[in-house]
């Protein structure tokens, strides 16, 4: 326990391969090593504090070291840390399944647990395909998916196949199943060349046509409701999601709502689907589910889907899929404590969202800010070399990384998506810290 900071830095460099991290650059810089945290702050081993401006990668809800969450884990630890969900129940997982069904859009009555966002999506994809083979009206030809350009659904191969091939996935293309790709509702760089004033939501009209055309082979449409996260916080126009739901219903295609990033209050409501009164056939949840404490995910679905998997074992209708730590009791216990705290946090969100909007409107005046997209406590700030022509910076300028590095020096931890600066503070952040986060980021962008 008494390793020196220098030793830890060396071992980090010598042995640890970080996710989504260009390791050569990482190894050239002095690493920041987090030792502890409290509230909205992370503290490194030199005692330097960083405001957690991206909720530890979009998952933290109430801050760090929250008494109610800490003690939920400690109390569960006195009972059992883990026991399998394969053919066996456990108390927190059962209680959590019931709570999720109560909170979720109507019709989602069955909960399948897994460990992270990618596996929550993966389970939905497999369930959808198997459903069409076993449904009361079997249509086994329906085994393809339609997803959007810019989509991100996680890094396991099925999730990668529905994600945008351009995003991170070039090396794996040969391994992926074919996915039908619809345009993305990227209003700032509209794929149809329209301006907001002339927009008739052509992008969703095109999606509707594609769903109609491919209905016989489509198992499901996969979307990130309201906001495409990793694409750069792309905010869909109002009514977009509702129209996706309408066309999928008309064409007998299932709808998978990946709310891994936007669930649990992030957009201002418990779930993003609720803002357009959409009831998907699958709801994928992870990130905020445990308040950002432990890896746990859930795939919710309907009785209609679930019942297609019933029958005598020899009929072969069982969903043979699962992970060792599925429904982990520690994770489920802290998720329950998170859900207990959420209603109060949601009540206080509107004032924070308004204040956030005011800050963002000021940032929009800065010379290199091309577009700002906000939804609840999510913001994507797209930086451009030239505002009037929307000309992007050269990739080699790494402006997103540079801005985030400046912020780090000022004690604010943020991570970009290319040239989009992401702000996604814990929902429990207070107004004073929200001001500090936005002022710092404003100043760092102004330095460009
Ligand atoms: C983060 C994310 C995932 C993947 O979740 P992991 O827990 O990282 O596997 C899937 N979908 C969306 C929309 C996400 O933002």
């Amino acid at each position: 326990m008494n390793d020196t900071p220098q030793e830890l830095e060396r071992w980090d460099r010598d042995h640890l391969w970080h996710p989504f991290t260009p390791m050569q650059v990482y190894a050239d810089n002095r690493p920041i090593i987090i030792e502890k945290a409290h509230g909205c702050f992370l503290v490194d081993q030199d005692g330097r504090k960083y405001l957690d401006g991206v909720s530890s990668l979009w998952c933290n809800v109430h801050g760090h070291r929250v008494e109610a969450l800490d003690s939920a884990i400690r109390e569960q630890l006195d009972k059992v840390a883990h026991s399998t969900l394969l053919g066996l129940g456990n108390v927190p997982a059962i209680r959590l399944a019931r709570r999720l069904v109560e909170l979720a859009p109507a019709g989602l009555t069955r909960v399948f647990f897994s460990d992270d966002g990618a596996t929550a999506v993966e389970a939905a994809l497999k369930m959808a395909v198997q459903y069409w083979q076993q449904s009361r009206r079997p249509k086994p030809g329906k085994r393809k998916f339609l997803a959007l350009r810019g989509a991100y659904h996680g890094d396991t191969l099925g999730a990668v196949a529905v994600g945008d091939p351009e995003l991170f996935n070039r090396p794996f293309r040969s391994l992926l199943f074919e996915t039908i790709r619809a345009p993305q509702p990227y209003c700032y760089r509209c794929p149809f060349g329209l301006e907001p004033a002339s927009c008739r939501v052509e992008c969703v009209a095109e999606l509707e046509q594609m769903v109609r055309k491919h209905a016989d082979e489509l198992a499901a449409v996969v979307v990130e409701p309201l906001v495409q996260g990793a694409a750069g916080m792309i905010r869909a126009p109002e009514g977009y999601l509702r129209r996706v739901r309408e066309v999928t219903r008309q064409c007998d295609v299932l709808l998978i709502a990946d709310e891994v990033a936007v669930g649990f209050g992030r957009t201002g409501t418990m779930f993003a689907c609720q803002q357009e009164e959409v009831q998907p056939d699958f709801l994928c949840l992870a990130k905020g589910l445990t308040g950002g404490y432990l890896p746990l995910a859930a795939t919710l679905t309907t009785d209609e889907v679930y019942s297609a998997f019933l029958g005598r074992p020899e009929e072969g209708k069982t969903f043979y899929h699962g992970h060792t730590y599925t429904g982990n009791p520690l994770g489920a216990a802290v998720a329950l404590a998170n859900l207990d705290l959420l209603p109060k946090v949601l009540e206080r969100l509107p004032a924070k969202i308004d204040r956030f909007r005011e800050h963002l409107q000021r940032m929009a005046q800065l010379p290199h800010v091309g577009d700002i997209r906000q939804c609840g406590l999510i913001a994507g700030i797209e930086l451009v070399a030239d505002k009037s022509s929307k000309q992007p910076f050269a990739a080699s300028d790494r402006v997103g990384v540079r801005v985030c590095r400046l912020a780090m020096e000022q004690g604010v931890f943020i991570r970009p998506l290319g040239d989009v600066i992401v702000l996604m503070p814990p929902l429990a952040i207070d107004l004073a810290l929200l001001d500090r986060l936005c002022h710092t980021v404003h100043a760092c962008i102004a330095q460009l």
Side-chain angles (χ1 to χ4, degrees):
M1 285 308 284
N2 295 319
D3 308 319
T4 66
Q6 291 71 27
E7 278 175 324
L8 286 164
E9 279 176 28
R10 199 174 70 239
W11 298 337
D12 182 34
R13 207 166 278 156
D14 287 351
H15 305 300
L16 192 51
W17 190 343
H18 292 259
F20 276 104
T21 303
M23 289 308 293
Q24 188 169 325
V25 179
Y26 184 85
D28 283 345
N29 291 281
R30 187 166 171 224
I32 292 167
I33 299 174
I34 299 305
E35 189 175 76
K36 55 194 178 185
H38 55 82
C40 291
F41 287 94
L42 301 164
V43 184
D44 74 11
Q45 52 173 2
D46 299 332
R48 276 188 55 119
K49 282 168 58 173
Y50 304 90
L51 182 56
D52 188 354
V54 287
S55 298
S56 290
L57 249 298
W58 318 355
C59 63
N60 191 282
V61 179
H62 309 287
H64 302 273
R65 302 273 319 276
V66 180
E67 182 47 39
L69 302 186
D70 292 2
S71 55
I73 296 174
R74 289 202 189 95
E75 280 164 29
Q76 182 57 40
L77 209 43
D78 286 335
K79 295 175 182 140
V80 57
H82 183 65
S83 129
T84 182
L85 221 54
L86 275 63
L88 207 60
N90 78 59
V91 175
I94 295 166
R95 292 183 54 219
L96 179 58
R98 184 173 156 81
R99 284 288 292 282
L100 289 173
V101 168
E102 284 168 2
L103 288 171
L108 297 165
T109 52
R110 304 287 168 171
V111 181
F112 188 90
F113 285 116
S114 61
D115 308 326
D116 43 38
T119 52
V121 171
E122 204 81 35
L125 298 174
K126 288 173 75 176
M127 283 174 181
V129 166
Q130 193 172 341
Y131 166 80
W132 287 114
Q133 294 167 27
Q134 303 175 177
S135 147
R136 278 169 290 135
R137 311 160 287 122
K139 295 183 181 175
K142 287 164 79 70
R143 52 187 178 76
K144 285 189 189 164
F145 297 94
L146 181 142
L148 301 196
R149 296 223 166 275
Y152 178 76
H153 298 290
D155 294 326
T156 56
L157 283 174
V160 164
V162 287
D164 190 315
E166 297 298 326
L167 214 50
F168 306 112
N169 304 322
R170 289 230 184 94
F172 315 114
R173 267 193 194 169
S174 65
L175 302 180
L176 306 178
F177 54 75
E178 180 200 349
T179 294
I180 297 164
R181 196 66 58 187
Q184 92 189 119
Y186 190 176
C187 297
Y188 181 60
R189 301 181 188 279
C190 173
F192 300 90
L194 299 170
E195 294 296 325
S198 57
C199 169
R200 285 151 295 141
V201 205
E202 293 292 322
C203 49
V204 78
E206 174 114 348
L207 179 143
E208 287 167 339
Q209 275 182 17
M210 294 171 90
V211 172
R212 292 207 174 91
K213 178 170 168 216
H214 296 282
D216 290 344
E217 47 177 357
L218 275 180
V221 169
V222 192
V223 290
E224 295 164 77
L226 302 191
V227 182
Q228 284 190 302
M233 303 303 161
I234 306 296
R235 176 84 164 88
E238 208 183 313
Y240 180 97
L241 182 64
R242 194 177 308 124
R243 282 176 65 178
V244 175
R245 177 67 285 191
E246 282 164 9
V247 73
T248 49
R249 274 220 203 292
Q250 284 161 13
C251 296
D252 209 13
V253 173
L254 298 170
L255 177 62
I256 301 175
D258 174 356
E259 291 220 18
V260 169
V262 295
F264 302 105
R266 192 38 79 181
T267 67
T269 48
M270 184 62 80
F271 298 112
C273 280
Q274 290 163 333
Q275 293 195 25
E276 301 209 347
E277 289 161 9
V278 159
Q279 302 169 4
D281 299 291
F282 296 94
L283 180 67
C284 303
L285 303 172
K287 291 196 170 110
L289 171 57
T290 60
Y293 263 54
L294 287 170
L296 182 73
T299 306
L300 276 65
T301 191
T302 60
D303 274 344
E304 167 63 26
V305 169
Y306 173 79
S307 58
F309 291 76
L310 300 178
R312 282 170 285 108
E314 59 274 23
E315 289 176 73
K317 292 184 173 177
T318 304
F319 188 51
Y320 283 113
H321 175 107
H323 305 280
T324 306
Y325 287 102
T326 288
N328 173 259
L330 292 174
V334 73
L336 283 162
N338 167 45
L339 296 179
D340 286 341
L341 295 182
L342 259 175
K344 252 226 172 76
V345 171
L346 286 178
E347 247 169 59
R348 294 181 181 148
L349 268 183
K352 299 177 194 182
I353 294 170
D354 287 346
R355 179 78 70 100
F356 199 32
R357 184 175 307 111
E358 290 164 22
H359 283 295
L360 294 168
Q361 278 164 355
R362 277 192 292 273
M363 283 188 228
Q365 310 303 317
L366 289 169
H368 289 293
V369 173
D371 190 29
I372 296 196
R373 301 177 281 270
Q374 183 198 2
C375 184
L377 277 195
I378 302 174
I381 304 166
E382 183 165 337
L383 304 176
V384 290
D386 182 74
K387 229 166 146 151
S388 55
S389 67
K390 304 185 182 179
Q391 172 71 35
F393 283 101
S396 55
D397 286 345
R398 303 199 7 116
V399 288
V401 172
R402 269 162 48 204
V403 168
C404 293
R405 219 170 259 158
L406 282 173
M408 215 59 183
E409 287 166 16
Q410 324 253 337
V412 166
F413 172 53
I414 50 175
R415 251 184 89 86
L417 291 161
D419 289 349
V420 176
I421 304 299
V422 175
L423 301 185
M424 210 145 153
L427 302 187
I429 193 170
D430 62 29
L431 289 175
L433 284 181
L434 188 59
D435 291 346
R436 177 162 158 199
L437 169 67
C438 293
H439 288 147
T440 305
V441 171
H442 189 119
C444 294
I445 295 174
Q447 278 188 48
L448 275 182

